[in-house]
């Protein structure tokens, strides 16, 4: 059974930094994509970034480009989402998700693409 576990959430001041982790287990395929989504109170879950496991290429939506960095970790099946220059509007529950294949076009921000989801980790940015 594929499982995803996020960690690293917490409280950070505006302008500060935070690093989220997503650890995946329970599968043997090596070509997959990990996407990150976030859901603020009262809003839909939005896709913000995606990374290919094989080549480490990452994609970002405009609202986080230049502030968020997604990378493959040294540990197997682990990815990191580095949040820099945090803004109050980044406050949300952050989820990682996984599907076989690669980040494709603009579909990487669509929830239906992903087969597996973590439980989420809360990020709160104070002003």
């Amino acid at each position: 059974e594929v499982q995803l576990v996020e960690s690293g959430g917490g409280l950070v001041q505006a302008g500060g930094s935070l690093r989220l982790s997503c650890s995946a287990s329970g599968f043997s395929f090596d070509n997959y994509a990990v996407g990150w989504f976030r859901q603020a109170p009262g809003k839909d879950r939005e896709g913000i970034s995606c990374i290919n496991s094989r080549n480490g290429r990452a994609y970002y939506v405009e609202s986080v480009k230049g502030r968020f960095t997604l990378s493959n970790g040294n540990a197997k099946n682990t990815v990191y989402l580095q949040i820099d220059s945090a803004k109050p509007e980044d406050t949300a529950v952050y989820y990682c998700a996984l599907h076989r294949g690669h980040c494709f076009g603009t579909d990487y921000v669509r929830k239906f693409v992903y087969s597996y989801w973590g439980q989420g980790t809360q990020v709160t940015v104070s002003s």
Side-chain angles (χ1 to χ4, degrees), residues 4 6 22 33-37 95-99 114-118:
L4 300 173
E6 304 94 338
C22 174
V34 175
W36 280 88
F37 290 73
Y95 299 88
C96 63
L98 183 148
H99 73 86
Y114 297 86
S115 304
Y116 310 100
W117 290 82

Side-chain angles (χ1 to χ4, degrees), residues 32-116:
Y32 59 89
V34 175
W36 280 88
F37 290 73
R38 65 185 182 184
Q39 187 166 16
K43 295 189 176 181
D44 290 336
R45 190 173 300 187
E46 64 167 340
I48 58 173
S49 185
C50 182
I51 189 167
N52 293 323
S53 65
R54 280 188 172 175
N55 62 15
R57 184 171 180 178
Y59 303 82
Y60 308 91
V61 297
E62 283 300 320
S63 60
V64 305
K65 194 174 293 184
R67 301 189 300 115
F68 287 23
T69 304
L70 188 51
S71 61
N72 286 322
N74 290 328
K76 185 177 174 64
N77 299 338
T78 299
V79 300
Y80 298 109
L81 181 66
Q82 177 72 32
I83 300 173
D84 295 317
S85 302
K87 301 178 179 180
E89 51 263 44
D90 294 326
T91 295
V93 177
Y94 283 70
Y95 299 88
C96 63
L98 183 148
H99 73 86
R100 295 187 70 168
H102 57 278
C103 310
F104 182 76
T106 56
D107 281 349
Y108 72 87
V109 299
R110 302 187 187 280
K111 297 187 290 291
F112 72 84
V113 169
Y114 297 86
S115 304
Y116 310 100

